[in-house]
Amino acid sequence: GAGVSQSPSNKVTEKGKDVELRCDPISGHTALYWYRQSLGQGLEFLIYFQGNSAPDKSGLPSDRFSAERTGGSVSTLTIQRTQQEDSAVYLCASSLGPPDTQYFGPGTRLTVL
Amino acid sequence: DQQVKQNSPSLSVQEGRISILNCDYTNSMFDYFLWYKKYPAEGPTFLISISSIKDKNEDGRFTVFLNKSAKHLSLHIVPSQPGDSAVYFCAASGVVTGTASKLTFGTGTRLQVTL
């Protein structure tokens, strides 16, 4: 079956612009996660959704970052007023629910000029 | 504060030999550990996991060992194959403490298997 998909695969934006990143989880997976990987770093947890609610937003680095999930499926991560330090690969994962294995998408590479 | 550490950024092993990738953690609340493999331009792929109630878990060529007293785990790949060349990430979570949803990752070890 289809895995986790993310779009766009690459995004180049100018400092100060808003961006939206999309994640389509594996069908039937109720849990959805966002991580980011900055250059030379490990993956950093951002937010976790169970259904449409987000019981853990503890990893969002600032109030410029927000995420939503609709219909228990697609999720959008929005970064407002992007800064150069936001440049990273943003990865989405889904699972049947913790602690079930998380399956990752290919990521969106965000570059803020 | 790096709670999961992979101190070797890279490792080179000959085909057919054993690859040993190491990982250390500092948070005693972690009780579930995973290894992911990542190829360039792809997302991480789950390899193998281990619960803290075990000290070893084996799946084909991959074995993970956990030493709780030392807060150390290792991934053994035997025999190593050229297709194993990738970046390997160690990850941890706390199932009993209710943080199973949040994986904490190390910075990865790049494995190169040479012919």
Side-chain angles (χ1 to χ4, degrees):
Chain A
V4 178
S5 61
Q6 293 186 245
S7 61
S9 55
N10 279 285
K11 177 72 176 178
V12 180
T13 190
E14 293 179 347
K15 178 181 171 181
K17 301 274 190 179
D18 298 352
V19 295
E20 282 190 355
L21 313 179
R22 178 187 167 104
C23 172
D24 280 274
I26 293 171
S27 177
H29 280 190
T30 59
L32 186 147
Y33 316 79
W34 284 97
Y35 293 82
R36 74 174 176 182
Q37 185 181 14
S38 302
L39 192 63
Q41 301 296 313
L43 282 72
E44 172 192 14
F45 169 83
L46 297 178
I47 187 170
Y48 152 60
F49 286 92
Q50 183 60 47
N52 292 335
S53 63
D56 190 349
K57 306 178 184 179
S58 62
L60 294 178
S62 75
D63 57 9
R64 295 187 296 106
F65 287 72
S66 63
E68 65 174 13
R69 189 179 186 196
T70 55
S73 181
V74 171
S75 176
T76 303
L77 177 68
T78 301
I79 309 173
Q80 295 179 308
R81 305 181 302 282
T82 52
Q83 304 294 312
Q84 288 183 333
E85 61 262 28
D86 299 335
S87 295
V89 176
Y90 288 82
L91 291 150
C92 174
S94 70
S95 79
L96 291 171
D100 196 71
T101 300
Q102 297 183 24
Y103 296 90
F104 283 82
T108 294
R109 180 175 296 277
L110 174 66
T111 303
V112 182
L113 301 176
Chain B
D1 175 30
Q2 194 75 25
Q3 297 186 63
V4 177
K5 301 177 186 178
Q6 294 177 257
N7 292 319
S8 297
S10 64
L11 175 67
S12 183
V13 172
Q14 275 191 324
E15 182 181 11
R17 302 283 188 127
I18 183 171
S19 294
I20 300 176
L21 296 97
N22 293 304
C23 178
D24 297 290
Y25 62 97
T26 57
N27 190 337
S28 58
M29 294 299 184
F30 289 149
D31 57 13
Y32 191 64
F33 305 89
L34 309 90
W35 285 93
Y36 280 83
K37 176 169 78 171
K38 187 180 184 302
Y39 293 118
E42 295 184 12
T45 303
F46 170 75
L47 264 181
I48 192 168
S49 62
I50 188 166
S51 162
S52 61
I53 62 173
K54 294 186 173 182
D55 55 18
K56 176 183 173 180
N57 189 26
E58 192 171 353
D59 184 2
R61 297 186 297 115
F62 302 91
T63 303
V64 56
F65 295 92
L66 175 63
N67 182 333
K68 283 186 295 183
S69 61
K71 293 191 177 67
H72 177 84
L73 62 155
S74 61
L75 174 68
H76 293 209
I77 307 173
V78 183
S80 301
Q81 298 174 354
D84 296 330
S85 297
V87 178
Y88 288 77
F89 289 97
C90 171
S93 69
V95 175
V96 170
T97 55
T99 59
S101 59
K102 182 189 303 187
L103 294 180
T104 301
F105 282 84
T107 52
T109 296
R110 182 178 300 279
L111 173 66
Q112 183 173 11
V113 180
T114 59
L115 297 174

